[in-house]
């Protein structure tokens, strides 16, 4: 009997070690789903679906876009309005006028919530009517990096050309949401709103700070962002650092400022390594430079982060094992 008990204990210990190595005990991981050991919550999941956008509507609900999983989807993509607390689907609308396999890059909702502007890989920028799901307007250029509205009928875009050595100036092109005609360019003011989140770099909501990815050695176990004065971008800044395990290739992170500019979040993604945290969402306090949240993930990159308010975030994750799209929420404790 003792021998069997010993074998069971050894198997259990081996299973725990294996589970630790592949991230079973991560927040919003397999164990956390059952025993709730963290503040991270999986609000809802969608089988065989990739969630290509996540936006906060004026009424406080969430809007996401579900695409059928697989390289050659045949079903129309869907607009889903969700309750942010329990993930309940409040409305569902098929999107007509887009290829089922369109791959979204960035999206924004209009101030009244009636329209959606979307940029997609190798596609023109599209304006979509939320009520009908119809694409009402399309206009060049293709594969735009950033998009937003500064009025119900005015769309701002930026090509999002990435350079870690030469930060971008705030300069957004303006197009009509009604007919796609060019309306000029904004270099300040309302243009700032589309730069609070971006690949590799982002500006604070008031436009005074630039957060920029700083490349580190793959074996250093550290990732970093640089905070600089946006008016003097070439001057020395302050470093925000966080522990993250080794990676074979570090991809450029998505960076997002909170609405009040106090926090900055970044999603880093690297190839999986057993026993190492190589992908994570990291949140820093801009004033103290402290790392205040660290959400490692192994099953899929965290994308499409939305600040529900200044103290809580929502985000999407695609589980590579189960092929499910997930929406997660995480509180941000002020210090």
């Amino acid at each position: 009997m003792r021998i069997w008990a010993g074998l069971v204990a050894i198997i259990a210990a081996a299973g725990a070690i294996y589970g630790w190595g592949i991230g079973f005990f991560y927040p919003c991981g397999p164990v956390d789903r059952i025993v709730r050991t963290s503040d991270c919550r999986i609000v809802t999941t969608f089988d065989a679906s990739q969630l290509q956008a996540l936006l906060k509507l004026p009424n406080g609900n969430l809007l996401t876009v579900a695409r059928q999983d697989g390289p050659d989807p045949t079903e129309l993509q869907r607009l889903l309005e969700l309750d942010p607390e329990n993930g309940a689907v409040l409305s569902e609308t098929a999107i007509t006028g887009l290829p089922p396999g369109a791959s979204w890059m960035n999206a924004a909702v209009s101030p009244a919530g009636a329209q959606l502007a979307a940029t997609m890989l190798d596609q023109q920028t599209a304006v979509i009517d939320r009520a009908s799901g119809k694409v009402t307007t399309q206009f060049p250029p293709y594969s735009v990096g950033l998009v937003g509205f500064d009025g119900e009928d005015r769309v701002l875009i930026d090509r999002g050309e990435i350079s870690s050595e030469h930060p971008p100036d705030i300069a957004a092109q303006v197009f009509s949401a009604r007919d796609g005609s060019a309306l000029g360019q904004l270099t300040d003011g309302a243009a700032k709103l589309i730069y609070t989140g971006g690949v590799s770099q982002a500006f604070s909501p008031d436009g005074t700070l630039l957060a920029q990815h700083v490349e580190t050695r793959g074996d250093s176990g550290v990732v970093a962002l640089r905070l600089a004065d946006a008016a003097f971008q070439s001057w020395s800044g302050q470093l925000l650092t966080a522990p993250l395990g080794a990676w074979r290739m570090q991809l450029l992170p998505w960076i997002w400022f909170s609405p009040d500019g106090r926090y900055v979040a970044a999603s880093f993604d690297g190839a999986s390594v057993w026993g190492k945290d190589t992908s994570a969402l990291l949140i820093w306090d801009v004033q103290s430079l402290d790392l205040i949240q660290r959400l490692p993930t192994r099953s899929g990159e965290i994308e499409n982060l939305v600040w529900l308010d200044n103290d809580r975030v929502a985000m999407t994750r695609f589980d590579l094992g189960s092929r499910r799209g997930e929406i997660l929420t995480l509180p941000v404790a002020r210090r």
Side-chain angles (χ1 to χ4, degrees):
M1 192 67 179
R2 291 181 178 177
I3 294 176
W4 284 108
L7 287 174
V8 170
I10 291 172
I11 293 171
I17 293 172
Y18 174 78
W20 166 83
I22 63 172
F24 273 12
F25 301 98
Y26 283 164
C28 279
V31 174
D32 195 26
R33 294 172 191 260
I34 301 171
V35 298
R36 294 293 300 274
T37 58
S38 78
D39 292 330
C40 181
R41 289 184 55 214
I42 299 177
V43 176
T44 188
T45 63
F46 296 91
D47 293 334
S49 297
Q50 299 176 21
L51 302 180
Q52 301 206 94
L54 188 66
L55 302 164
K56 183 182 175 183
L57 294 170
N59 62 9
N61 292 332
L62 291 173
L63 182 70
T64 190
V65 178
R67 172 190 183 272
Q68 182 185 8
D69 186 28
D72 298 303
T74 57
E75 298 177 0
L76 292 176
Q77 298 188 13
R78 297 167 292 149
L79 287 174
L80 302 170
E81 182 176 350
L82 308 171
D83 186 315
E85 302 303 325
N86 56 29
V89 177
L90 305 175
S91 69
E92 179 174 339
T93 306
I95 302 175
T96 57
L98 286 183
S103 181
W104 292 45
M105 298 175 63
N106 206 342
V109 66
S110 65
Q115 299 183 96
L116 184 69
T119 69
M120 287 155 278
L121 187 65
D122 298 328
Q123 299 280 334
Q124 295 185 90
T125 301
V127 178
I128 302 168
D129 178 69
R130 272 195 58 221
S132 65
K134 293 180 180 179
V135 174
T136 58
T137 309
Q138 288 183 292
F139 51 86
Y142 288 68
S143 303
V144 170
L146 301 175
V147 66
F149 286 87
D150 75 338
E152 199 64 23
D153 295 317
R154 286 165 53 93
V155 178
L156 309 183
I157 67 169
D158 188 291
R159 293 175 184 271
E161 298 170 348
I162 301 302
S163 170
S164 60
E165 296 180 356
H166 303 287
D169 293 322
I170 294 179
Q173 294 174 269
V174 186
F175 289 85
S176 167
R178 297 190 180 196
D179 58 17
S181 59
L183 301 177
Q185 179 174 284
L186 288 178
T187 58
D188 205 350
K192 294 176 182 176
L193 63 90
I194 71 170
Y195 293 93
T196 57
V199 177
S200 181
Q201 49 213 356
F203 286 93
S204 59
D206 63 4
T208 61
L209 284 178
L210 169 72
Q212 186 180 30
H213 174 231
V214 176
E215 188 172 353
T216 55
R217 284 175 54 99
D219 59 356
S220 67
V222 174
V223 291
L225 300 183
R226 170 179 174 261
L227 278 181
D229 186 330
F232 305 97
Q233 298 173 10
S234 62
W235 289 14
S236 297
Q238 296 174 301
L239 279 182
L240 304 174
T241 61
L244 196 63
W247 52 83
R248 297 182 181 91
M249 182 179 70
Q250 182 179 348
L251 301 181
L252 296 175
W254 268 97
I255 301 172
W256 304 271
F257 271 96
S258 63
D260 62 0
R262 177 166 179 181
Y263 302 113
V264 62
S267 176
F268 286 85
D269 181 47
S272 297
V273 178
W274 189 89
K276 299 282 189 179
D277 296 343
T278 57
S279 298
L281 174 73
L282 307 165
I283 303 178
W284 289 270
D285 185 310
V286 170
Q287 296 177 1
S288 67
L289 308 184
D290 291 334
L291 178 69
I292 59 172
Q293 284 286 9
R294 184 176 183 274
L295 177 61
T297 183
R298 183 183 178 89
S299 56
E301 181 185 8
I302 291 171
E303 298 180 301
N304 303 314
L305 182 139
V306 171
W307 292 87
L308 296 173
D309 50 43
N310 289 313
D311 299 300
R312 191 165 58 128
V313 295
M315 68 210 83
T316 66
R317 182 175 68 180
F318 181 67
D319 191 298
L320 297 173
S322 66
R323 311 303 295 180
R324 293 183 301 195
E326 302 173 330
I327 295 179
L328 284 56
T329 61
L330 184 70
V332 180
R334 289 185 178 269
R335 295 185 177 181

